[in-house]
Amino acid sequence: MKKILRQTLTIGFLLIGITVFGQEYGFDIHNTSLDEYIQIEKKLGSEETLNTTNYVSFNGDAQPIKFKRKEKDIPDLIVSYHFKEKDSTMSSILYEWDVSNFEKKDNNQKSAKFQKALVKKYNALEKMINEHFGEAKIEGDLSDLSRTDKKDGRLNKKNIWQPNDSTEIVMYTAISNFYEKNGMVTTNPTHRIRLYIKKTKKDEKSIDKLDEKRVDSLNVLSKNFLLTLETKDLLKSKDYLSDLIKEAVTDEQLNTLIENLNFERKTELIYSGVQVGLDGSVFTLLHYKYEDDTSEPPKELIKIIFDDKNKIVGIQPIKLQGKVKN
């Protein structure tokens, strides 16, 4: 059995290693493409849903792509992927558990059991994100569910994480069973959790169009690099790496990478594109799949990333998995 690469070399936002896409929440919004997010949803068994309203954007976003995931004891999850209409780069992701997405009737009050399940979900999400990004800035609390039937008893809580200067994670919940109809104004119960992952600043560097000649050239370099790995010529393989990667990568890391590649299966290029780093640097991405993998999306991918000097700054064997069970 192939072992998972435990040593992960990170230079900027790039790495040599193996990635397993089984996570249910896409926090790495700068380094994950819309296509990769869609592939994850398909592997999770999500159902793509239609937009019932026209989304108006003033920053160049297209209509979001939405998926529904089944949940137990709480509202089903609606995931909305927001991306630029011009080039499909990600803008934000919204994960939303909201009764009002599915129940349109007035006075749709919920049981104490339901409310406790919603609070449990919020607390689990909070714990998971804290473990990855540290403690959040917090407003409000969810300690007294007995007050939710009262007019002033609505419970609210908001968490804000800032993993870096260009990403913000915001989560909040609102829980209330209060109902009132006063003339034309109706106040309905509210039971929702929303989790946003947002880019907080625009990429300022313009990106040149990726031409076919450059893709062909990098494809040849990728094939040659993989050949050096297949023959275990580690010294030669390092000639294809950028200086920063070359100085830090170890033979052990390369050998473990080799163990996670299947050289008996032919590969084919299925995607090429550009990616902007947090410092504005532009990189070229090539995605490969194994030719005999006819599943949609492919079960395994190989992502190779080049800098502007045609040197490799990242290679990731990616295995797509189903939904992670808690």
Side-chain angles (χ1 to χ4, degrees):
M1 179 182 293
K2 296 179 180 179
K3 63 181 179 179
I4 302 299
L5 184 63
R6 299 186 183 277
Q7 301 85 5
T8 301
L9 170 64
T10 304
I11 301 295
F13 67 89
L14 302 170
L15 54 84
I16 287 182
I18 182 166
T19 296
V20 179
F21 269 143
Q23 287 71 26
E24 298 174 47
Y25 310 105
F27 297 109
D28 194 10
I29 192 170
H30 285 279
N31 303 319
T32 308
S33 68
L34 175 63
D35 182 60
E36 287 173 325
Y37 281 125
I38 291 173
Q39 290 178 6
I40 292 170
E41 293 296 337
K42 289 181 178 179
K43 277 295 178 182
L44 291 172
S46 305
E47 174 189 347
E48 187 169 357
T49 63
L50 296 176
N51 285 307
T52 56
T53 58
N54 187 39
Y55 177 77
V56 179
S57 170
F58 298 98
N59 61 359
D61 279 3
Q63 293 297 307
I65 295 177
K66 295 187 176 185
F67 291 87
K68 182 175 74 172
R69 301 183 196 168
K70 290 290 185 181
E71 293 281 0
K72 184 179 180 181
D73 300 326
I74 61 174
D76 287 343
L77 169 61
I78 299 295
V79 187
S80 302
Y81 293 103
H82 296 260
F83 57 95
K84 298 300 181 187
E85 188 169 15
K86 180 180 178 181
D87 57 11
S88 296
T89 55
M90 296 301 301
S91 299
S92 64
I93 306 171
L94 168 61
Y95 298 92
E96 184 177 39
W97 299 260
D98 192 339
V99 169
S100 66
N101 285 331
F102 306 99
E103 299 180 19
K104 304 302 181 183
K105 65 180 182 180
D106 286 347
N107 198 18
N108 54 342
Q109 293 183 335
K110 295 299 175 184
S111 66
K113 180 181 178 181
F114 180 94
Q115 292 181 331
K116 289 177 182 178
L118 201 63
V119 170
K120 182 179 179 181
K121 181 68 175 182
Y122 192 94
N123 290 339
L125 289 167
E126 180 182 40
K127 180 181 178 182
M128 176 194 67
I129 302 173
N130 280 342
E131 288 174 352
H132 283 82
F133 302 111
E135 296 294 323
K137 178 182 177 182
I138 300 174
E139 300 174 6
D141 71 83
L142 306 174
S143 59
D144 191 1
L145 285 173
S146 65
R147 292 177 47 81
T148 59
D149 289 337
K150 301 177 181 179
K151 187 172 185 177
D152 62 349
R154 173 170 164 152
L155 298 185
N156 296 280
K157 186 172 181 180
K158 183 177 182 180
N159 295 58
I160 300 176
W161 295 266
Q162 292 181 309
N164 51 54
D165 63 358
S166 60
T167 308
E168 183 178 63
I169 301 169
V170 179
M171 182 172 67
Y172 79 88
T173 186
I175 301 175
S176 171
N177 254 341
F178 178 74
Y179 171 76
E180 182 180 68
K181 190 172 182 64
N182 188 1
M184 297 180 64
V185 179
T186 300
T187 303
N188 272 307
T190 304
H191 295 89
R192 74 164 62 98
I193 298 172
R194 287 179 179 166
L195 170 61
Y196 294 91
I197 302 168
K198 309 175 184 178
K199 287 183 177 179
T200 56
K201 69 178 182 181
K202 296 181 179 179
D203 298 318
E204 298 178 355
K205 186 170 182 177
S206 61
I207 303 174
D208 294 331
K209 185 177 180 181
L210 187 60
D211 61 81
E212 186 175 345
K213 183 177 179 181
R214 175 165 168 75
V215 172
D216 290 341
S217 175
L218 296 182
N219 186 32
V220 171
L221 289 175
S222 296
K223 296 288 188 180
N224 291 339
F225 171 66
L226 292 173
L227 182 60
T228 65
L229 295 180
E230 181 179 4
T231 59
K232 296 188 177 181
D233 189 345
L234 302 188
L235 186 62
K236 182 65 175 177
S237 69
K238 292 180 182 180
D239 290 342
Y240 292 89
L241 304 179
S242 72
D243 290 339
L244 285 175
I245 294 288
K246 190 186 304 183
E247 291 172 3
V249 71
T250 66
D251 288 352
E252 182 182 2
Q253 288 174 313
L254 288 174
N255 281 321
T256 309
L257 173 63
I258 289 170
E259 292 181 17
N260 283 282
L261 295 170
N262 191 334
F263 298 105
E264 295 180 358
R265 302 166 69 189
K266 292 183 179 180
T267 59
E268 64 175 305
L269 180 66
I270 60 170
Y271 171 81
S272 61
V274 293
Q275 181 170 302
V276 179
L278 298 181
D279 62 353
S281 301
V282 178
F283 300 87
T284 302
L285 287 72
L286 301 182
H287 291 187
Y288 295 86
K289 78 175 188 70
Y290 292 109
E291 285 186 355
D292 59 0
D293 185 352
T294 59
S295 56
E296 181 59 38
K299 294 180 180 179
E300 296 182 64
L301 295 172
I302 302 171
K303 178 193 289 187
I304 300 180
I305 309 170
F306 288 88
D307 63 15
D308 57 0
K309 297 179 181 178
N310 296 341
K311 293 293 186 179
I312 294 173
V313 292
I315 175 170
Q316 292 176 282
I318 300 171
K319 295 184 179 181
L320 298 175
Q321 291 189 159
K323 185 174 181 178
V324 174
K325 296 182 179 179
N326 295 327

